[in-house]
Amino acid sequence: MSQIIDKQKVVVVGAGPVGALAALYAAGRGDDVEVYELRDDLRDPSTTPLNFTKSINLALSERGINAMRHTQSEGLIESVLEETIPMHGRMIHGRRKTGELYQESQEYDVHGRYIRAVDRAGLNKRLLDALENMPNVTLHFNHKLTGADFNKSTAWFERRSHAPKTDHAQNSTQPDISKKDEDRAPEIAVTFDLLIGADGAHSAARYHMMKFARLNYQQEYIDTLWCEFHIPPTTPSSTSSTPTFAISPNHLHIWPSQTLMFIAIPSLDHSFTCTLFAPSQTFATLSSSPHTTLLPFFAQTFPGICPDLIDPDTLLHQFTSNPHLPLISIKCTPYHYASSVVILGDAAHAMVPFYGQGMNAGLEDVRVLFDFLDEHGVYDASASSSSKSSRTQSRARALQAYTAHRTPDASAINDLALRNYEEMRSSVTSPLYRVRKFVEESVNKYLPGLGWKTQYSRVSFENERVFGFGGGGAGWGVGVEDVGGWENDGAGVGEMSYKGGEEVGEDLEGLVGLLIGYV
């Protein structure tokens, strides 16, 4: 990166992991950065997330780690990784026809690479602490974005004494007609060179950008709700005062059941944050008479959870007291308007959590965005002209290039996340799935010259581009950009291609035939 020229003023809306990382990137390049967050300080344990519960535990993988690695914030990545738990694979739980409970480990990677379980609040705290130590950054909590003029580079925020728990970022932009004008929170005007919207799926930044950009927007609520549960640590014994994990801490645990599933992800306090995913009708049936239906449902559908890991009273309390929340998938384009605004993370491409890439994709957005800003000379003192107008034009070109580059990538991982739900809740128990997984990993391990890599390893353990083919709409295809050699393009069991154009096979028989011919 070249020597820094005159400072820009960058306003970041949203102080979650993606917004905080974007602020770190901008501040590290010398910009004056102001971060505005609707809620109270997110480091305060009493701050309630907008969905009224903890978010689904996060999986941190290479794309997110790599983005934090490039912040130039000394010690940040080390401190983050110290507070993660390696997950080497899935642990599949079930009951055999004989009635015996079983668990089966399915490793993520034949070379031993793994993803990490991370506490969202802990990660957010590390990022915000790093920001607070930077002299060119100011943090503003309890500030609601109420309007923006992206031609005049001005935004308006309501400054509140505390954030109401009923707010959503987008919905909160609507006026409260029952409130007298004089009772409203004071509003401030903030000017900027660049506004970065990282304020989540219900983004106020996106809502206001849509008044200026001709933005194509698509959202889908899948017919699945989720509810959070908790597996406590095992009770210390008379010989030890230290609590331990009730089940293996180095796996993502899955109880699959065709159209629904229960998962458990380890936490640093030796507990597990768990999530039930099920069709809305299943939740409606259970909610109608939970005292009589819930325990038999868990005993039949998710054997080994109750009473082995969660006692019946606790299970019932968690189901009836924790909210049953929807899952949304969002696609839109463009991600920017002119030189003044860009949206990142869930604001641009909210996705269901089944590939564990939502946060990682958002963090990668930040790295890719600033790569384009650097590439187009926004921070380059050797540019032909360092005037404000020249920099504005460079920034506009960078944002346009970012949208063109990033939109298909985000669409692809969005589609993959939807597809992976079927794999997690159903396919993991299929003999055909296990055969495919064995063949793919064997080719990768024993025939490296073919260049074959599994789709999961390319997405989770590497940083090469993921992209979608075709136009907009729900039918977008999915693939992984090739760097030479074979690839699994994710279209289905055994479907594969060679980037040189030769079709190898449509099914597993084609792959097996290839292997026989090769060896």
Side-chain angles (χ1 to χ4, degrees), residues 225-229 274-276 283 318-319 322-325:
L225 302 179
W226 66 276
C227 179
E228 185 176 285
F229 292 82
C274 309
T275 311
L276 168 64
F283 272 95
Q318 291 176 355
F319 179 80
N322 289 342
H324 305 158
L325 298 168

Side-chain angles (χ1 to χ4, degrees), residues 203-471:
S203 169
R206 183 186 66 231
Y207 172 78
H208 291 295
M209 190 181 82
M210 290 172 78
K211 301 171 187 177
F212 294 84
R214 292 181 294 178
L215 189 142
N216 295 316
Y217 178 82
Q218 170 190 330
Q219 77 173 38
E220 175 186 2
Y221 283 98
I222 67 171
D223 185 27
T224 297
L225 302 179
W226 66 276
C227 179
E228 185 176 285
F229 292 82
H230 181 259
I231 295 176
T234 56
T235 305
S237 64
S238 57
T239 59
S240 174
S241 60
T242 304
T244 58
F245 289 99
I247 48 182
S248 166
N250 299 121
H251 290 85
L252 168 65
H253 294 264
I254 305 177
W255 284 259
S257 186
Q258 298 302 313
T259 60
L260 58 162
M261 70 176 179
F262 190 90
I263 68 170
I265 300 179
S267 300
L268 291 173
D269 63 358
H270 298 90
S271 68
F272 285 82
T273 299
C274 309
T275 311
L276 168 64
F277 297 99
S280 56
Q281 184 57 51
T282 301
F283 272 95
T285 301
L286 294 173
S287 298
S288 63
S289 54
H291 291 83
T292 58
T293 60
L294 186 67
L295 298 184
F297 168 78
F298 264 80
Q300 178 179 350
T301 312
F302 307 123
I305 291 178
C306 182
D308 305 58
L309 302 175
I310 308 176
D311 70 75
D313 290 341
T314 301
L315 185 76
L316 183 62
H317 173 73
Q318 291 176 355
F319 179 80
T320 55
S321 61
N322 289 342
H324 305 158
L325 298 168
L327 293 169
I328 191 171
S329 174
I330 291 175
K331 295 178 181 178
C332 69
T333 194
Y335 294 156
H336 76 289
Y337 172 71
S339 65
S340 57
V341 59
V342 63
I343 53 176
L344 308 178
D346 283 355
H349 47 71
M351 64 191 69
V352 295
F354 305 118
Y355 219 107
Q357 288 296 316
M359 179 190 68
N360 292 287
L363 298 178
E364 187 180 52
D365 285 350
V366 176
R367 179 188 65 78
V368 174
L369 170 64
F370 279 87
D371 281 351
F372 277 107
L373 291 171
D374 290 341
E375 180 183 323
H376 284 79
V378 175
Y379 296 101
D380 191 353
S382 63
S384 59
S385 172
S386 60
S387 68
K388 184 172 182 178
S389 62
S390 175
R391 174 178 260 189
T392 299
Q393 293 170 9
S394 296
R395 190 167 58 246
R397 289 191 293 269
L399 298 187
Q400 184 174 4
Y402 171 77
T403 283
H405 177 98
R406 195 62 178 159
T407 299
D409 289 6
S411 297
I413 191 60
N414 200 308
D415 290 340
L416 285 173
L418 282 168
R419 294 182 185 185
N420 211 46
Y421 184 31
E422 180 176 357
E423 179 173 309
M424 292 177 70
R425 61 182 166 82
S426 177
S427 299
V428 290
T429 60
S430 163
L432 183 60
Y433 168 82
R434 291 196 288 266
V435 169
R436 189 197 78 183
K437 182 176 173 62
F438 170 76
V439 171
E440 288 181 343
E441 292 178 344
S442 296
V443 172
N444 180 229
K445 183 175 182 178
Y446 298 111
L447 299 172
L450 289 178
W452 174 281
K453 297 177 183 178
T454 66
Q455 176 182 279
Y456 189 90
S457 68
R458 284 174 175 252
V459 172
S460 297
F461 304 126
E462 299 179 7
N463 291 293
E464 63 185 278
R465 285 192 66 193
V466 178
F467 67 92
F469 297 111

Side-chain angles (χ1 to χ4, degrees), residues 41-52:
D41 192 331
L42 303 180
R43 293 166 291 185
D44 184 344
S46 67
T47 299
T48 304
L50 292 177
N51 57 15
F52 313 121

